[in-house]
Amino acid sequence: MVVNISALFLNGVIIVTFVKNRHLLLNDFTVHILSLTVINWTTGFMLVFFVTPCHALNQTSLRNRMNCAAYRGLTFLIAYMILHIHFVICLDRWMALLAPIWYSQKKTVKVGWTNTLIFFNS
């Protein structure tokens, strides 16, 4: 539980830092890192406030259909989002390695956000 709360706090600090200093920190690659941080924060929030209480109550709260559906849906959605953002980051790094000149000239923050949103909606 301490690790979950620490991770939640530290991911929150990263998000606040990006929001306060976005003109200095936000570039074509850090867009993906920020997306991953938001997903990790969401996962931590879900673990601390939803999953842990369910397990502490011997899963009695999961007998309620609504809680069970939310638990199963969120678990799938979070895992899906984490896999997709890792895929986007890997593609981004491969593009930087295979076509460095094109990457440095054409890759912008807008392209980074677009790539992230396209992969989340697929």
Side-chain angles (χ1 to χ4, degrees):
M1 185 71 162
V2 173
V3 173
N4 291 341
I5 292 173
S6 299
L8 193 61
F9 173 74
L10 293 173
N11 280 313
V13 168
I14 292 171
I15 293 168
V16 168
T17 302
F18 266 98
V19 169
K20 283 187 173 183
N21 302 307
R22 70 178 155 261
H23 61 283
L24 296 173
L25 296 175
L26 203 58
N27 63 35
D28 54 341
F29 176 68
T30 58
V31 164
H32 306 309
I33 300 302
L34 182 61
S35 297
L36 181 61
T37 303
V38 169
I39 293 167
N40 286 339
W41 187 84
T42 306
T43 305
F45 187 81
M46 189 178 113
L47 284 172
V48 169
F49 296 106
F50 192 72
V51 175
T52 304
C54 286
H55 289 293
L57 298 171
N58 287 331
Q59 299 180 351
T60 53
S61 62
L62 291 179
R63 290 188 186 136
N64 178 338
R65 272 187 104 167
M66 188 67 134
N67 290 349
C68 184
Y71 175 80
R72 294 173 85 188
L74 287 173
T75 302
F76 173 77
L77 181 66
I78 295 294
Y80 178 82
M81 290 171 63
I82 289 171
L83 287 173
H84 271 70
I85 196 63
H86 281 288
F87 182 68
V88 169
I89 291 171
C90 288
L91 282 179
D92 186 74
R93 296 296 82 203
W94 273 105
M95 284 185 353
L97 284 172
L98 296 176
I101 295 170
W102 176 88
Y103 184 85
S104 64
Q105 292 174 349
K106 303 289 183 188
K107 187 79 187 321
T108 63
V109 174
K110 184 178 178 181
V111 171
W113 281 120
T114 304
N115 291 344
T116 301
L117 293 174
I118 287 171
F119 278 99
F120 279 145
N121 290 323
S122 61

